[in-house]
Amino acid sequence: MFDVFALALPSLLAVGGISAMIWAVVRLRRLRSAWRSGLTAYAVCLRSYATTRTRRSGPHRSSSTTLTHLYEFTTPEGQTLRFEESGGPSSVVPGDTVPVRYPAGRPDRATAIPPGDTKTLVGTGVLLAFLTVFVTACVGFGVFYLTVFGGLKDKAKDVIERSEDGVNAPAGSPSAPAGPTGPPDGFPTGPPKDFPTGPPEGFPSDLPTGMPTDLPTGFPTGFPGGR
């Protein structure tokens, strides 16, 4: 379960980074297509608003403000369209008239950003560079996890299985530890040489005969004290 989470999170982050890279490239191509098409109309800025994003990194905090304009223009064919666009110049205020450009046959892709706008090109390049590093880091983490942590995990699992097999394996199995197969060297294997091997034959021949002749004589004849 931990492996799935450890690999799913960087995978999702990498997919998100790749999607953002595709969006940035497509947006830049559409801008260039609008700049080079030669179809121009004049749009009126209806309103503008700013969006502020705050990012916190520990005790530090940074914020960025993006200005968005709402434009309305009419094509030579008499079609009236409105579109919102971020990153436009802050000098444009509601009521101003600005030129817009769009690819032939696609007025829905109109832009009020002037051709070759340095701010847009540099911003897109910085964004692509950051996303490239981000996606590379996510992929590198996944590869590092599979090669390093995966190998260590397999080795640890193999060691645990071997230790369990050594403890739980029955005697005589290939994984059971080899025990002593006999008595140690020099251990006696039989009785001593002069150890009796059976009961004695017959009865003893040196038993005493008759009464003893050396009994003590001269026992006392009375009690001490003259009694």
Side-chain angles (χ1 to χ4, degrees):
M1 184 63 182
F2 180 78
D3 293 341
V4 175
F5 178 78
L7 295 176
L9 182 59
S11 300
L12 293 176
L13 294 176
V15 171
I18 294 174
S19 302
M21 293 175 64
I22 294 175
W23 173 84
V25 172
V26 170
R27 180 174 181 269
L28 184 60
R29 292 188 62 181
R30 288 181 177 179
L31 287 176
R32 289 182 174 178
S33 177
W35 292 342
R36 296 172 181 175
S37 65
L39 299 180
T40 305
Y42 288 91
V44 178
C45 178
L46 300 179
R47 68 185 181 95
S48 63
Y49 59 92
T51 303
T52 302
R53 295 182 179 179
T54 302
R55 300 178 180 86
R56 292 184 178 180
S57 178
H60 304 285
R61 184 177 62 179
S62 61
S63 60
S64 60
T65 302
T66 303
L67 187 63
T68 303
H69 295 88
L70 175 63
Y71 297 103
E72 182 182 78
F73 71 100
T74 302
T75 64
E77 293 79 17
Q79 183 182 4
T80 301
L81 294 95
R82 290 182 178 182
F83 69 95
E84 285 187 345
E85 188 174 50
S86 300
S90 59
S91 58
V92 177
V93 296
D96 289 348
T97 300
V98 296
V100 295
R101 297 167 180 83
Y102 58 90
R106 297 301 305 266
D108 56 314
R109 295 182 180 179
T111 177
I113 298 176
D117 183 64
T118 305
K119 180 181 176 181
T120 302
L121 296 176
V122 172
T124 303
V126 171
L127 178 61
L128 290 176
F130 171 78
L131 292 175
T132 301
V133 174
F134 179 77
V135 173
T136 303
C138 293
V139 175
F141 176 81
V143 174
F144 178 79
Y145 181 85
L146 291 176
T147 55
V148 177
F149 286 98
L152 293 177
K153 182 179 179 182
D154 293 339
K155 290 182 180 180
K157 185 177 180 181
D158 185 55
V159 171
I160 293 175
E161 290 179 352
R162 288 183 179 180
S163 61
E164 290 179 352
D165 292 342
V167 173
N168 301 326
S173 64
S175 58
T181 56
D185 296 339
F187 193 81
T189 58
K193 295 181 180 181
D194 55 351
F195 192 80
T197 58
E201 297 180 358
F203 293 94
S205 57
D206 55 349
L207 294 177
T209 56
M211 296 295 293
T213 58
D214 55 350
L215 292 176
T217 58
F219 290 96
T221 57
F223 294 95
R227 292 183 184 182

